[in-house]
Amino acid sequence: MLPAQQRIENDWYKGTADAVFQNMDIIRDYDPEHILILAGDHVYKMDYGEMLAYHSANGADMTVACFEVPQEEASAFGVMTVDAQGRVTDFHEKPQEPSAIPGKPGRTLASMGIYIFNAHFLYEQLIRDADERHSTHDFGHDLIPYLVSRYRVFAHPFAASCVGESGTQPYWRDVGTVDAYWEANMELTKVSPDLNLYDEKWPIWTYQSSCRRLNLSSMTMTGAA
């Protein structure tokens, strides 16, 4: 885990794309074929391998994970339009009047902020964007709208790779605001929360849970003694 650094100029990260650009030398040291970019303020469980397989099968330059949201809430997200093959044909970041999915009034296809790029393609686009004087150097505002009309950008439906109980709605929450963070925490206090934190098939490992198991083991041993 690398802390934010002033690596190129005397400026902090100007946008999400610039954050990756300023650490590109470190990424290149690993010589990856693909690069997966994730948001840090979302709660969900997802098999990224499914998304990568989808990306490769479509011969995509970039793939964006997507999720259906109510149209009245869509202004908080990047909104996209796709064709019958799943290729993104239009993309707008946080539009004031988001469009509905054709045939699904009241529902909008939103970006989850999860991206897969072919590595060398991403390097080229980050360098190009860094040289654009009028760019805000952000994936949603600048990079994706530029790429959609020029390259192979596909939308991957979250329902195809989410991890959860069969028959349940895919669980994904953006907790980028205090209210959303509070609501997500309250959801987990239910007797049967929508996100299963105790799924043994796809466990969630945390420092806290590890300590808790150690403490329980110590208590058991003390009690036995």
Side-chain angles (χ1 to χ4, degrees):
M1 298 293 290
L2 299 172
Q5 303 170 67
Q6 296 166 305
R7 298 177 54 83
I8 306 298
E9 301 173 351
N10 293 324
D11 295 318
W12 294 107
Y13 301 153
K14 301 171 186 176
T16 52
D18 182 58
V20 180
F21 172 73
Q22 291 208 40
N23 290 280
M24 199 161 60
D25 58 327
I26 298 172
I27 298 171
R28 277 176 160 163
D29 285 343
Y30 291 91
D31 193 27
E33 182 178 349
H34 300 96
I35 294 175
L36 171 67
I37 295 177
L38 310 173
D41 56 357
H42 297 167
V43 181
Y44 62 97
K45 291 199 292 186
M46 180 178 183
D47 184 350
Y48 300 121
E50 293 287 344
M51 183 176 173
L52 179 58
Y54 177 90
H55 173 87
S56 298
N58 283 297
D61 298 302
M62 176 192 185
T63 297
V64 184
C66 59
F67 188 72
E68 289 187 19
V69 299
Q71 191 172 4
E72 64 270 16
E73 299 175 10
S75 294
F77 303 97
V79 171
M80 68 188 81
T81 304
V82 301
D83 63 18
Q85 286 70 47
R87 186 166 179 172
V88 180
T89 58
D90 198 19
F91 187 96
H92 297 280
E93 181 69 6
K94 299 180 179 179
Q96 291 298 315
E97 297 182 2
S99 57
I101 301 172
K104 290 187 177 182
R107 305 291 292 177
T108 297
L109 196 61
S111 166
M112 297 172 66
I114 299 173
Y115 316 126
I116 290 180
F117 286 92
N118 296 333
H120 292 288
F121 174 76
L122 177 60
Y123 303 152
E124 292 171 0
Q125 296 306 317
L126 290 176
I127 293 170
R128 177 198 57 76
D129 180 75
D131 291 335
E132 290 284 345
R133 292 183 57 188
H134 301 294
S135 173
T136 62
H137 311 296
D138 183 83
F139 281 110
H141 281 105
D142 308 289
L143 221 68
I144 300 177
Y146 177 88
L147 299 179
V148 162
S149 62
R150 296 172 173 85
Y151 299 96
R152 293 180 62 81
V153 179
F154 280 78
H156 172 74
F158 179 50
S161 56
C162 67
V163 176
E165 302 295 333
S166 60
T168 61
Q169 290 294 321
Y171 183 94
W172 177 74
R173 298 291 185 271
D174 184 324
V175 293
T177 66
V178 174
D179 287 343
Y181 182 77
W182 167 263
E183 290 171 4
N185 274 272
M186 291 300 98
E187 287 178 348
L188 296 177
T189 65
K190 296 178 182 178
V191 175
S192 299
D194 294 332
L195 178 68
N196 184 2
L197 298 178
Y198 307 102
D199 181 5
E200 295 182 355
K201 295 180 180 179
W202 196 279
I204 297 176
W205 302 107
T206 68
Y207 175 77
Q208 182 178 6
S209 61
S210 299
C211 288
R212 183 170 178 269
R213 281 195 298 276
L214 288 173
N215 289 338
L216 287 173
S217 298
S218 299
M219 289 171 63
T220 303
M221 291 174 64
T222 302

